[in-house]
Amino acid sequence: MTQAPSAPQTAPAEHTGARTRGPRAGTNNGQWLVSGREPLNANEVFKAESDVLEVRDRIISTYARDGFDSIDGDDLHGRFRWWGLYTQRKPGIDGGRTAQLEAHELEDKFFMMRVRLDGGALTQQQVQTLADISRDHARGTGDISDRQNLQYHWISIEDVPTIWDKLEAAGMRTVEACGDCPRVILGSPVAGVAVDELIDPTPVIDEILHRYIGDPELANLPRKFKSAITGHPSHDVVHEINDISLVAVEHPELGIGYDLWVGGALSTAPRLAERLGAFVRPEEAAEVWYGVTRIFRDYGYRRLRNKARLKFLLNDWGTEKFRQVLEQEYLGRALPDGPEARPDGSASDHIGVHAQKDGNHYIGAAPVVGRMGADTLQGLADLMTSVGSDRARFTPHQKVLLLDVAPDHLDAAVAGLDALGLQTRPSAFRRGTMACTGIEFCKLAIVDTKDTATAAIRELDDRLADLELTDPLTLHLNGCPNSCARIQTADIGLKGQLVLGDDGEQVPGFQVHLGGGLATHGRPEAGLGRTVRGLKVTADNLTDYVERVVRRWHGERTDGETFAAWVHRAEDEALV
């Protein structure tokens, strides 16, 4: 670990705008309704040349027949994303070469395939299908992403049409799982079953899917567009870091509806979403979603890819103008003002056994950093059959829920999940640790994440057993600066990079972010993590560092003080 002395770099607990400065005023920033539709970079060119979704036909008719080397470059590195396909990293290329090599030098002739699972919802047949595909086409791989999708690796182009046939026969798709388009919609994993939910968001999600996903009109956005909808008071869809979120709230006069949030995203310029102050009735939620999406399409910045997310537009416009444009130009009416949705303080990962409103139970279980390969998927499918459950859900926290378990099958279901390595009573670190794909498969990654995180969980659970931690500490590992694992909103967030080891040589390691979090159990307000300049840790010293800082918190905290609260008041010296 190395540290250079400096003043603390503390992100405020409220929304940050200073780090999301948009493009320069007066420049043609590629806003369609301001500057016209002339493409201003290579990505905009290939999107303008043809309907990006049409690449599916070429995959089926040509590329799957003629093989990887027949694939057009713009299709391979561009349009394939709209069908959930990225080339994966070639084995054996160390992290020091990630930024030195071109894409074609880093990539293997195999793909990551992302299966789009809106709301994370799965039937028993669908879990069985995912298991079959993992076993037959993906070398047994499968990972739950933090957006409720399942990701495969080692997919060959020749197998893609067959995989699509299997997915679609079971009611699943990969359409717009990646790309500059509306990606998977995060939905409450307990939608329709939780005793304490305010409203079931499933009808809104279904309406958006049926009306808008796969529509060429929305397939060319400036960048990716992320959505979240929940009716649960725990706020279980990380709404503060999505481009648009609808969060259930009770209006004193209009009843149950949604609080509208826009403009959240992390990556290298993190910004938390902001409320527009508008109340959205359930019957108009899909229309409002459509309006916000079209604002992004028409006014979003397209000239520079690193300034093309909705957060940059919101930062420049402000919430008042954004709401005005939404109401006047896209809805044709004003939305009523509404109260802010506030979390109830319950755990948003839904781990453990919980009663459903129908007398059955749902059970939340933790895999290890989202790993759900063929054997685990098959075991889950078999368990669902044996306990009479036809529904499972993946969560935005890389967890899995088993729904509709009758009381007389509860013990068998819990035992069956635990036997699969899906722990229903996980330790604090097993429960709170997430990791992105990392250098094992990702072309952008610099360090390993999945195996590093798995080893850290095992060691920390052993080393810190004497503290008897009752609440999860969130430990998020990311292989590069892009924050796919939400490092800025974790108690301990680790951004992969090369750091200097004890011998002065560069080795895999992490920059440390501390004290971030979203509004959930024990934290009423979201806030970004704090960095101390120069505070980095090698991968080999990771567990030593985490143990040290957690013990320091545990020893210095006031009664009931959370790790994040302690971090934001602690001196630099306490955090190294």
Side-chain angles (χ1 to χ4, degrees):
M1 182 182 65
T2 60
Q3 182 201 13
S6 67
Q9 304 288 300
T10 306
E14 299 301 323
H15 311 296
T16 65
R19 300 170 66 187
T20 54
R21 196 173 304 147
R24 289 177 298 172
T27 301
N28 179 357
N29 290 309
Q31 295 171 280
W32 279 4
L33 287 189
V34 176
S35 307
R37 295 196 178 196
E38 179 187 358
L40 299 180
N41 59 53
N43 284 277
E44 292 300 310
V45 169
F46 82 70
K47 289 191 290 181
E49 286 177 343
S50 66
D51 175 5
V52 288
L53 296 172
E54 292 177 350
V55 73
R56 175 190 171 102
D57 294 335
R58 291 191 290 278
I59 292 172
I60 294 171
S61 65
T62 303
Y63 302 145
R65 180 193 65 201
D66 296 341
F68 185 91
D69 292 335
S70 69
I71 304 172
D72 171 79
D74 282 343
D75 284 348
L76 181 64
H77 300 120
R79 300 181 186 97
F80 270 36
R81 290 177 289 169
W82 275 254
W83 288 96
L85 294 165
Y86 284 98
T87 51
Q88 68 187 38
R89 188 185 189 95
K90 188 180 298 181
I93 301 177
D94 64 63
R97 302 177 68 194
T98 296
Q100 300 173 356
L101 300 178
E102 299 294 331
H104 70 276
E105 297 175 294
L106 285 164
E107 69 189 5
D108 207 346
K109 294 184 178 182
F110 294 94
F111 294 89
M112 180 276 287
M113 174 182 278
R114 183 176 295 157
V115 181
R116 179 183 184 125
L117 300 172
D118 295 272
L122 291 161
T123 65
Q124 190 279 339
Q125 180 195 7
Q126 289 171 333
V127 175
Q128 180 64 62
T129 298
L130 293 175
D132 293 342
I133 292 171
S134 175
R135 182 184 61 250
D136 297 341
H137 304 286
R139 301 190 187 181
T141 60
D143 292 322
I144 304 174
S145 77
D146 64 1
R147 296 202 61 81
Q148 297 179 289
N149 295 307
L150 188 79
Q151 295 186 169
Y152 293 122
H153 298 284
W154 298 110
I155 301 295
S156 69
I157 191 62
E158 291 85 354
D159 285 352
V160 169
T162 299
I163 295 172
W164 281 341
D165 286 345
K166 292 180 178 181
L167 288 171
E168 290 162 12
M172 294 178 286
R173 303 185 293 173
T174 68
V175 63
E176 296 186 338
C178 312
D180 300 348
C181 55
R183 299 195 183 181
V184 67
I185 302 169
L186 296 185
S188 171
V190 295
V193 301
V195 172
D196 53 347
E197 76 172 349
L198 296 175
I199 189 172
D200 182 356
T202 304
V204 178
I205 295 174
D206 288 346
E207 184 177 357
I208 293 171
L209 293 178
H210 294 148
R211 292 178 63 181
Y212 304 121
I213 302 306
D215 182 351
E217 181 190 354
L218 297 182
N220 182 359
L221 302 179
R223 283 290 300 274
K224 57 190 172 185
F225 186 76
K226 296 183 176 182
S227 309
I229 308 175
T230 184
H232 196 266
S234 68
H235 294 186
D236 50 5
V237 293
V238 296
H239 68 278
E240 302 99 329
I241 56 172
N242 283 268
D243 294 283
I244 178 173
S245 293
L246 294 163
V247 185
V249 68
E250 184 170 5
H251 193 286
E253 299 171 357
L254 302 175
I256 304 295
Y258 294 99
D259 189 17
L260 176 59
W261 298 63
V262 299
L266 295 178
S267 192
T268 55
R271 195 179 201 279
L272 297 177
E274 296 191 59
R275 297 180 62 243
L276 293 190
F279 179 78
V280 179
R281 296 176 176 88
E283 63 271 18
E284 62 186 356
E287 181 189 8
V288 170
W289 180 93
Y290 182 47
V292 173
T293 309
R294 287 185 295 152
I295 288 177
F296 182 44
R297 180 195 64 191
D298 298 340
Y299 286 105
Y301 303 131
R302 293 175 181 261
R303 182 173 67 90
L304 300 175
R305 294 282 290 174
N306 63 350
K307 302 289 185 182
R309 292 295 297 276
L310 183 64
K311 62 185 174 183
F312 295 101
L313 181 66
L314 178 69
N315 188 70
D316 291 347
W317 277 10
T319 55
E320 183 177 352
K321 179 177 178 179
F322 196 102
R323 180 173 172 179
Q324 181 183 57
V325 171
L326 173 64
E327 292 175 337
Q328 294 181 1
E329 297 185 28
Y330 291 86
L331 298 179
R333 66 183 186 281
L335 295 169
D337 294 337
E340 180 178 357
R342 305 289 296 177
D344 68 355
S346 60
S348 61
D349 61 4
H350 303 297
I351 290 294
V353 178
H354 306 268
Q356 293 182 182
K357 61 181 66 175
D358 63 359
N360 291 319
H361 294 80
Y362 66 87
I363 308 170
V368 179
V369 292
R371 291 292 201 198
M372 285 289 289
D375 291 344
T376 308
L377 288 165
Q378 183 63 62
L380 179 60
D382 293 342
L383 179 63
M384 293 173 73
T385 299
S386 68
V387 300
S389 167
D390 191 45
R391 292 194 292 176
R393 304 260 173 91
F394 293 158
T395 85
H397 303 283
Q398 296 183 329
K399 306 298 188 288
V400 59
L401 270 60
L402 183 62
L403 274 58
D404 305 327
V405 179
D408 56 347
H409 287 140
L410 197 55
D411 290 344
V414 169
L417 289 167
D418 288 338
L420 291 171
L422 303 174
Q423 293 185 359
T424 57
R425 302 176 185 86
S427 65
F429 282 100
R430 173 69 171 268
R431 182 173 180 175
T433 300
M434 295 201 314
C436 72
T437 299
I439 201 170
E440 182 181 9
F441 296 115
C442 178
K443 300 190 299 294
L444 301 177
I446 302 167
V447 301
D448 173 81
T449 54
K450 292 288 191 182
D451 290 341
T452 300
T454 300
I457 292 168
R458 184 170 55 249
E459 290 187 41
L460 290 168
D461 283 345
D462 181 58
R463 294 189 191 188
L464 295 172
D466 60 299
L467 298 187
E468 298 183 352
L469 300 172
T470 55
D471 293 325
L473 282 169
T474 50
L475 174 65
H476 295 184
L477 282 74
N478 214 76
C480 77
N482 286 326
S483 201
C484 294
R486 309 198 297 255
I487 54 173
Q488 298 99 332
T489 59
D491 287 312
I492 303 171
L494 301 169
K495 180 175 73 176
Q497 58 183 228
L498 297 180
V499 303
L500 294 181
D502 294 337
D503 59 1
E505 297 294 321
Q506 286 191 327
V507 296
F510 301 90
Q511 182 188 52
V512 180
H513 296 252
L514 295 169
L518 302 176
T520 182
H521 181 56
R523 183 172 187 141
E525 297 284 348
L528 300 177
R530 167 185 179 180
T531 61
V532 177
R533 190 181 301 276
L535 177 55
K536 301 173 184 178
V537 59
T538 67
D540 287 344
N541 292 330
L542 169 61
T543 51
D544 291 340
Y545 172 73
V546 174
E547 179 185 9
R548 184 164 60 250
V549 75
V550 169
R551 287 191 180 279
R552 188 71 177 264
W553 156 68
H554 200 267
E556 294 185 357
R557 64 180 178 170
T558 60
D559 185 36
E561 186 176 32
T562 65
F563 180 85
W566 171 78
V567 161
H568 282 287
R569 71 168 175 85
E571 299 294 333
D572 286 7
E573 292 74 16
L575 305 178
V576 300

